[in-house]
Amino acid sequence: ATFDFARADALRITGCPEEFQNERNLVYRSFVLALAHWGEEPFPIAIDMDCPIPIARGLGSSSACTVAGIMGAASLTGRIIRRDEAVAIATEMEGHPDNVAPAIMGSLVCSFMPESGVPECIRYEVNRKLHFVTVVPPYEVHTADARKVMPQSVPTETAVWQIGHCVAAVHALTTGDAGLLAVSCQDRLHEPYRSQLIADYEPLRRTALAAGAAAYLISGSGSTMLAVCDGRKAAERVACSVTNMVENRVEGLWVRILGTHTTGTTVELG
């Protein structure tokens, strides 16, 4: 996603639906929050958005907009902002660092909020041979609904089981061990519940795994799903298979093969 910022005589936002071309726009709200963080008053700007990330699909479109507003505020005020400071401001806006931290830092990021209230982020390099097929159905899963179906507590043995699998999955992602990824990338905390909100989850999952995906998972709260593949050719087979399903065919799927963005957010001054 690319966002262009410039000072202007009045607020002007292009590149998004008309309903978001106002002060309620998330990019602009983040811009204002960042200025307030530095003790500065907002000023009129022009924002041109080129954000191909599907909205409300669990792929982090809101995080991209939040981070863009912060970086735009820094660039237009001549401020050099550290990544940890950007993560802290973005976390204040989003409520958690889960998505904004990797958007800023790139690659795979483990983040959490300690008692100090300052986000802690640990960055890992994802092995380059792994490719990710995004499978986006033509409908949303609202975050409120996705949270509502989750149990309020889980048995201790479930938590222990999941922690072990998470640690192994991180190792598999960094080493490119597709075999380990296949057995470790399993979930008992949210996917058994949230998958029920994605009408086409099971046939798409079966098709992707049969075509050679090492793992298949829900991205965020959905409705996007990710097939993790060992190499580009495997990813192409999976993408072709889910797109061209005959039985249980899903019309309007948005399917893309993606690698890992390692640089995170960058700023170009014009």
Side-chain angles (χ1 to χ4, degrees), residues 138-165:
Y139 47 81
E140 300 178 6
V141 170
H142 296 289
T143 302
D145 294 332
R147 289 175 177 168
K148 194 180 300 181
V149 299
M150 295 277 290
Q152 296 300 305
S153 61
V154 297
T156 300
E157 58 266 30
T158 299
V160 172
W161 184 94
Q162 195 65 72
I163 291 170
H165 280 68

CSV table of all heavy atoms in Angstrom, one decimal, residues 138-165:
chain,number,residue,atom,x,y,z
A,138,PRO,N,-15.8,-13.4,-0.9
A,138,PRO,CA,-16.5,-12.2,-1.1
A,138,PRO,C,-17.4,-11.7,0.0
A,138,PRO,O,-18.5,-11.3,-0.3
A,138,PRO,CB,-17.2,-12.4,-2.4
A,138,PRO,CG,-17.5,-13.9,-2.4
A,138,PRO,CD,-16.3,-14.5,-1.7
A,139,TYR,N,-17.0,-11.9,1.2
A,139,TYR,CA,-17.9,-11.5,2.3
A,139,TYR,C,-17.0,-11.3,3.5
A,139,TYR,O,-15.9,-11.8,3.6
A,139,TYR,CB,-19.0,-12.6,2.7
A,139,TYR,CG,-18.4,-14.0,2.7
A,139,TYR,CD1,-17.8,-14.5,3.9
A,139,TYR,CD2,-18.6,-14.8,1.6
A,139,TYR,CE1,-17.4,-15.8,3.9
A,139,TYR,CE2,-18.1,-16.1,1.7
A,139,TYR,CZ,-17.5,-16.6,2.8
A,139,TYR,OH,-17.1,-17.9,2.9
A,140,GLU,N,-17.5,-10.5,4.5
A,140,GLU,CA,-16.8,-10.1,5.7
A,140,GLU,C,-17.1,-11.0,6.8
A,140,GLU,O,-18.1,-11.6,6.9
A,140,GLU,CB,-17.1,-8.6,6.1
A,140,GLU,CG,-16.8,-7.6,5.0
A,140,GLU,CD,-17.2,-6.2,5.5
A,140,GLU,OE1,-17.6,-6.0,6.6
A,140,GLU,OE2,-17.1,-5.3,4.6
A,141,VAL,N,-16.2,-11.0,7.8
A,141,VAL,CA,-16.5,-11.5,9.1
A,141,VAL,C,-16.2,-10.4,10.1
A,141,VAL,O,-15.0,-9.9,10.2
A,141,VAL,CB,-15.6,-12.7,9.5
A,141,VAL,CG1,-15.7,-13.1,11.0
A,141,VAL,CG2,-16.0,-14.0,8.7
A,142,HIS,N,-17.2,-9.8,10.7
A,142,HIS,CA,-17.0,-8.7,11.6
A,142,HIS,C,-16.3,-9.1,12.9
A,142,HIS,O,-16.6,-10.2,13.4
A,142,HIS,CB,-18.4,-8.1,11.9
A,142,HIS,CG,-19.1,-7.5,10.8
A,142,HIS,ND1,-18.7,-6.3,10.1
A,142,HIS,CD2,-20.2,-7.9,10.1
A,142,HIS,CE1,-19.5,-6.1,9.1
A,142,HIS,NE2,-20.4,-7.0,9.1
A,143,THR,N,-15.3,-8.3,13.3
A,143,THR,CA,-14.5,-8.6,14.4
A,143,THR,C,-15.4,-8.9,15.7
A,143,THR,O,-15.1,-9.8,16.5
A,143,THR,CB,-13.5,-7.4,14.7
A,143,THR,OG1,-12.7,-7.2,13.5
A,143,THR,CG2,-12.6,-7.8,15.9
A,144,ALA,N,-16.4,-8.1,15.8
A,144,ALA,CA,-17.3,-8.3,17.0
A,144,ALA,C,-17.9,-9.7,17.0
A,144,ALA,O,-18.0,-10.3,18.0
A,144,ALA,CB,-18.4,-7.2,17.0
A,145,ASP,N,-18.3,-10.1,15.8
A,145,ASP,CA,-18.9,-11.5,15.7
A,145,ASP,C,-17.8,-12.5,16.0
A,145,ASP,O,-18.1,-13.6,16.6
A,145,ASP,CB,-19.5,-11.7,14.4
A,145,ASP,CG,-20.7,-10.8,14.1
A,145,ASP,OD1,-21.4,-10.4,15.1
A,145,ASP,OD2,-21.0,-10.4,12.9
A,146,ALA,N,-16.6,-12.3,15.5
A,146,ALA,CA,-15.5,-13.3,15.6
A,146,ALA,C,-15.1,-13.4,17.1
A,146,ALA,O,-14.7,-14.5,17.6
A,146,ALA,CB,-14.3,-12.8,14.8
A,147,ARG,N,-15.2,-12.3,17.8
A,147,ARG,CA,-14.9,-12.3,19.3
A,147,ARG,C,-16.0,-13.0,20.1
A,147,ARG,O,-15.8,-13.7,21.1
A,147,ARG,CB,-14.6,-10.9,19.8
A,147,ARG,CG,-13.3,-10.3,19.3
A,147,ARG,CD,-13.1,-8.9,19.7
A,147,ARG,NE,-11.8,-8.4,19.2
A,147,ARG,CZ,-11.5,-7.1,19.3
A,147,ARG,NH1,-12.4,-6.2,19.7
A,147,ARG,NH2,-10.3,-6.7,18.8
A,148,LYS,N,-17.2,-12.8,19.6
A,148,LYS,CA,-18.4,-13.3,20.3
A,148,LYS,C,-18.4,-14.8,20.4
A,148,LYS,O,-18.9,-15.4,21.3
A,148,LYS,CB,-19.7,-12.8,19.7
A,148,LYS,CG,-20.9,-12.9,20.5
A,148,LYS,CD,-22.1,-12.3,19.8
A,148,LYS,CE,-21.9,-10.9,19.5
A,148,LYS,NZ,-23.1,-10.3,18.8
A,149,VAL,N,-17.9,-15.5,19.3
A,149,VAL,CA,-18.0,-16.9,19.2
A,149,VAL,C,-16.9,-17.6,20.0
A,149,VAL,O,-16.9,-18.8,20.2
A,149,VAL,CB,-18.0,-17.4,17.8
A,149,VAL,CG1,-19.2,-16.9,17.0
A,149,VAL,CG2,-16.7,-17.1,17.1
A,150,MET,N,-15.9,-16.8,20.5
A,150,MET,CA,-14.8,-17.4,21.2
A,150,MET,C,-15.2,-17.7,22.6
A,150,MET,O,-15.9,-17.0,23.3
A,150,MET,CB,-13.6,-16.4,21.2
A,150,MET,CG,-13.0,-16.1,19.9
A,150,MET,SD,-11.8,-17.3,19.4
A,150,MET,CE,-10.5,-16.9,20.5
A,151,PRO,N,-14.7,-18.8,23.2
A,151,PRO,CA,-14.9,-19.2,24.6
A,151,PRO,C,-14.2,-18.2,25.5
A,151,PRO,O,-13.1,-17.6,25.1
A,151,PRO,CB,-14.4,-20.6,24.7
A,151,PRO,CG,-13.3,-20.7,23.6
A,151,PRO,CD,-13.8,-19.9,22.5
A,152,GLN,N,-14.8,-17.9,26.6
A,152,GLN,CA,-14.1,-17.0,27.6
A,152,GLN,C,-13.0,-17.6,28.3
A,152,GLN,O,-12.1,-16.9,28.9
A,152,GLN,CB,-15.2,-16.5,28.6
A,152,GLN,CG,-16.3,-15.7,27.9
A,152,GLN,CD,-15.8,-14.4,27.2
A,152,GLN,OE1,-15.1,-13.6,27.8
A,152,GLN,NE2,-16.1,-14.3,25.9
A,153,SER,N,-12.9,-18.9,28.4
A,153,SER,CA,-11.8,-19.6,29.0
A,153,SER,C,-11.5,-20.9,28.3
A,153,SER,O,-12.4,-21.4,27.6
A,153,SER,CB,-12.1,-19.8,30.5
A,153,SER,OG,-13.2,-20.6,30.7
A,154,VAL,N,-10.3,-21.4,28.5
A,154,VAL,CA,-9.9,-22.7,27.9
A,154,VAL,C,-9.2,-23.5,29.0
A,154,VAL,O,-8.6,-23.0,29.9
A,154,VAL,CB,-9.0,-22.5,26.7
A,154,VAL,CG1,-9.7,-21.7,25.6
A,154,VAL,CG2,-7.7,-21.8,27.1
A,155,PRO,N,-9.3,-24.8,28.8
A,155,PRO,CA,-8.6,-25.7,29.8
A,155,PRO,C,-7.1,-25.5,29.8
A,155,PRO,O,-6.6,-25.1,28.7
A,155,PRO,CB,-9.0,-27.1,29.3
A,155,PRO,CG,-10.3,-27.0,28.5
A,155,PRO,CD,-10.1,-25.6,27.9
A,156,THR,N,-6.5,-25.8,30.9
A,156,THR,CA,-5.0,-25.6,31.0
A,156,THR,C,-4.3,-26.5,29.9
A,156,THR,O,-3.4,-26.0,29.3
A,156,THR,CB,-4.5,-26.0,32.4
A,156,THR,OG1,-5.2,-25.2,33.3
A,156,THR,CG2,-3.0,-25.9,32.5
A,157,GLU,N,-4.8,-27.7,29.7
A,157,GLU,CA,-4.1,-28.6,28.7
A,157,GLU,C,-4.2,-28.0,27.3
A,157,GLU,O,-3.3,-28.2,26.5
A,157,GLU,CB,-4.7,-30.0,28.8
A,157,GLU,CG,-6.2,-30.1,28.6
A,157,GLU,CD,-7.0,-30.1,29.9
A,157,GLU,OE1,-6.5,-29.5,30.9
A,157,GLU,OE2,-8.1,-30.7,29.9
A,158,THR,N,-5.3,-27.3,27.0
A,158,THR,CA,-5.4,-26.7,25.7
A,158,THR,C,-4.4,-25.5,25.5
A,158,THR,O,-3.8,-25.4,24.5
A,158,THR,CB,-6.8,-26.1,25.5
A,158,THR,OG1,-7.8,-27.2,25.6
A,158,THR,CG2,-7.0,-25.5,24.1
A,159,ALA,N,-4.3,-24.7,26.6
A,159,ALA,CA,-3.3,-23.6,26.5
A,159,ALA,C,-1.9,-24.1,26.4
A,159,ALA,O,-1.1,-23.6,25.6
A,159,ALA,CB,-3.5,-22.8,27.8
A,160,VAL,N,-1.6,-25.2,27.1
A,160,VAL,CA,-0.2,-25.8,27.1
A,160,VAL,C,0.0,-26.3,25.7
A,160,VAL,O,1.1,-26.1,25.1
A,160,VAL,CB,0.0,-26.8,28.2
A,160,VAL,CG1,1.3,-27.6,28.0
A,160,VAL,CG2,-0.1,-26.2,29.6
A,161,TRP,N,-0.9,-27.1,25.2
A,161,TRP,CA,-0.8,-27.6,23.8
A,161,TRP,C,-0.6,-26.6,22.8
A,161,TRP,O,0.3,-26.7,21.9
A,161,TRP,CB,-2.1,-28.4,23.5
A,161,TRP,CG,-2.2,-29.1,22.2
A,161,TRP,CD1,-1.8,-30.4,22.0
A,161,TRP,CD2,-2.6,-28.6,20.9
A,161,TRP,NE1,-2.0,-30.8,20.6
A,161,TRP,CE2,-2.5,-29.6,20.0
A,161,TRP,CE3,-3.0,-27.3,20.5
A,161,TRP,CZ2,-2.8,-29.5,18.6
A,161,TRP,CZ3,-3.3,-27.2,19.2
A,161,TRP,CH2,-3.2,-28.2,18.2
A,162,GLN,N,-1.3,-25.4,22.9
A,162,GLN,CA,-1.2,-24.4,21.9
A,162,GLN,C,0.1,-23.6,22.0
A,162,GLN,O,0.7,-23.3,21.0
A,162,GLN,CB,-2.4,-23.4,22.1
A,162,GLN,CG,-2.6,-22.4,20.9
A,162,GLN,CD,-3.0,-23.2,19.7
A,162,GLN,OE1,-4.1,-23.7,19.6
A,162,GLN,NE2,-2.1,-23.3,18.7
A,163,ILE,N,0.6,-23.4,23.2
A,163,ILE,CA,1.9,-22.7,23.4
A,163,ILE,C,3.0,-23.5,22.7
A,163,ILE,O,3.8,-22.9,22.0
A,163,ILE,CB,2.2,-22.5,24.8
A,163,ILE,CG1,1.2,-21.4,25.4
A,163,ILE,CG2,3.6,-22.0,25.0
A,163,ILE,CD1,1.3,-21.3,26.9
A,164,GLY,N,3.0,-24.8,22.9
A,164,GLY,CA,4.0,-25.6,22.3
A,164,GLY,C,4.0,-25.6,20.8
A,164,GLY,O,5.0,-25.5,20.1
A,165,HIS,N,2.8,-25.6,20.2
A,165,HIS,CA,2.6,-25.6,18.8
A,165,HIS,C,3.0,-24.2,18.2
A,165,HIS,O,3.6,-24.1,17.2
A,165,HIS,CB,1.2,-25.9,18.4
A,165,HIS,CG,0.9,-27.3,18.4
A,165,HIS,ND1,0.8,-28.1,19.6
A,165,HIS,CD2,0.6,-28.2,17.4
A,165,HIS,CE1,0.5,-29.3,19.2
A,165,HIS,NE2,0.4,-29.4,17.9
